[in-house]
Amino acid sequence: LPVIVGLREVSGDVAALTDDDAEPYPDWLERLERNYGSSDVGGVGGSLEEYVEEKRIELPGIDRVGYLKWFGDYYGGFHRVAPTRPPFEVNFLRGANMSYRTSVWREVGVDPILNRADYHFEVDIGLRVRRKGFRILCDPAARVRHFNAGRTLQTVYGTPPPDLMMRRSHNFAYAMS
């Protein structure tokens, strides 16, 4: 349970997380930290540059990312937000580019079922942090290159294989309950 084990070892006020197939920009931590000036900010993340097979995926920019839809689904879209946009509030962060106040993260915890299953643990954490009354911010200038290791374009931006769809569906329903 990598996130749970790692969180036990954090000694600072903020715990930042990225993926093993991601490469933060040199100023990533500094940019995340700048957004913790207000005590009601519980988490901060940023934007992603998505790569598949070493080719950057370029998609049109969007205004709304990291939110729950009215019917219970959600939209991440952190790879489609312009890095020049000022920080804004979101419902959750993307696992490849997220940080939380260590005390808040320890209080809400990490569900071991979701942590082990690859998908939606970050949605679950974000929702629980917000239920505690904290805001979560996305600072698009806090950028990470995400290289999507071991996945295909079809899996990332198309119809995933059935076993992956089943895990994602289960975990999403579990996180929303």
Side-chain angles (χ1 to χ4, degrees):
L1 307 174
V3 174
I4 294 171
V5 172
L7 190 54
R8 283 189 214 135
E9 301 300 319
V10 174
S11 60
D13 294 335
V14 174
L17 177 71
T18 190
D19 287 355
D20 60 353
D21 60 354
E23 178 184 292
Y25 275 77
D27 61 351
W28 177 63
L29 289 173
E30 178 186 329
R31 289 188 177 276
L32 292 175
E33 188 178 36
R34 284 184 201 167
N35 292 281
Y36 283 100
S38 176
S39 62
D40 70 337
V41 174
V44 180
S47 63
L48 295 166
E49 293 176 2
E50 293 285 354
Y51 292 80
V52 175
E53 298 170 3
E54 298 185 32
K55 181 181 178 198
R56 185 166 175 196
I57 304 300
E58 299 281 350
L59 297 168
I62 56 173
D63 291 329
R64 199 157 181 220
V65 303
Y67 69 95
L68 292 175
K69 298 176 184 179
W70 68 269
F71 54 91
D73 196 2
Y74 74 93
Y75 187 75
F78 293 96
H79 60 291
R80 295 184 63 183
V81 63
T84 55
R85 183 175 174 189
F88 58 96
E89 201 163 331
V90 294
N91 295 133
F92 61 88
L93 299 167
R94 176 88 181 263
N97 189 349
M98 68 183 198
S99 69
Y100 286 97
R101 290 185 188 277
T102 306
S103 60
V104 173
W105 207 343
R106 285 183 175 144
E107 185 180 341
V108 301
V110 177
D111 190 302
I113 291 172
L114 296 176
N115 184 48
R116 189 172 50 246
D118 301 333
Y119 291 96
H120 305 306
F121 81 93
E122 61 266 68
V123 175
D124 181 58
I125 292 168
L127 296 178
R128 288 190 284 134
V129 166
R130 287 179 49 87
R131 280 187 215 120
K132 293 282 184 188
F134 291 96
R135 294 184 310 130
I136 300 173
L137 301 177
C138 174
D139 182 347
R143 296 182 299 157
V144 168
R145 292 178 190 96
H146 188 233
F147 294 98
N148 287 297
R151 298 186 183 116
T152 65
L153 278 171
Q154 185 69 12
T155 301
V156 177
Y157 294 106
T159 305
D163 65 321
L164 181 60
M165 280 299 291
M166 196 163 54
R167 272 200 342 250
R168 287 171 73 180
S169 297
H170 167 270
N171 292 351
F172 182 71
Y174 182 87
M176 294 297 115
S177 63

